[in-house]
Amino acid sequence: MKQSTKRKLVNTAVFAALLITEILIGKYAHGFVRAYIGDVLVMPAMYFFVRIFTEKFPCTLPLILFIFACAVEVSQYFELYKILGFAPRSLPAILMGTGFSWEDIFAYAAGSMLNAAAAVCMKPTHKD
């Protein structure tokens, strides 16, 4: 099923708003907001980014993204950036992450619940 232009624009707008919010949190926020809200919001950001390109896996995408986020977090536990030979403050290490945290996994779970709610609320209709 092909996405309507309107739905793609909505997904793009929501992704852009979440991305800007994430950037602002990373740049200006401290404490609880930076530590937890940013990790919660990264899941919907990924969800809407994927939704720009496909409507496949409507019910399972939140779970797929949660598993992906957990895999990234596990790679941080095993310090994959070091195994691959990247310096701690290098761009690849920053993108991969350098510190495992159970709190991050719980935040990703909360964000995945938001994704599940979005999947239900934005269920494709035959009118789209």
Side-chain angles (χ1 to χ4, degrees), residues 9-20:
L9 288 173
V10 167
N11 289 336
T12 302
V14 174
F15 167 70
L18 288 166
L19 181 62
I20 290 167

Side-chain angles (χ1 to χ4, degrees), residues 76-94:
Q76 293 173 10
Y77 177 80
F78 291 107
E79 297 182 324
L80 183 60
Y81 75 97
K82 285 183 182 177
I83 293 168
L84 296 174
F86 298 120
R89 297 189 193 273
S90 67
L91 181 60
I94 291 167

Side-chain angles (χ1 to χ4, degrees), residues 9-82:
L9 288 173
V10 167
N11 289 336
T12 302
V14 174
F15 167 70
L18 288 166
L19 181 62
I20 290 167
T21 302
E22 286 285 345
I23 291 167
L24 292 173
I25 287 172
K27 189 164 175 76
Y28 299 109
H30 303 285
F32 180 83
V33 172
R34 182 168 182 144
Y36 301 106
I37 302 301
D39 286 340
V40 170
L41 292 180
V42 77
M43 298 306 294
M46 289 192 312
Y47 177 85
F48 284 100
F49 179 75
V50 171
R51 283 289 177 242
I52 293 168
F53 304 102
T54 184
E55 285 292 317
K56 292 184 180 182
F57 313 113
C59 297
T60 56
L61 183 59
L63 178 61
I64 292 166
L65 292 173
F66 177 68
I67 291 169
F68 173 77
C70 288
V72 170
E73 200 66 25
V74 167
S75 78
Q76 293 173 10
Y77 177 80
F78 291 107
E79 297 182 324
L80 183 60
Y81 75 97
K82 285 183 182 177

Side-chain angles (χ1 to χ4, degrees), residues 101-124:
S101 169
W102 282 107
E103 290 86 1
D104 289 352
I105 291 176
F106 292 128
Y108 300 149
S112 295
M113 287 184 232
L114 293 174
N115 288 348
V120 169
C121 293
M122 297 184 66
K123 188 180 257 185

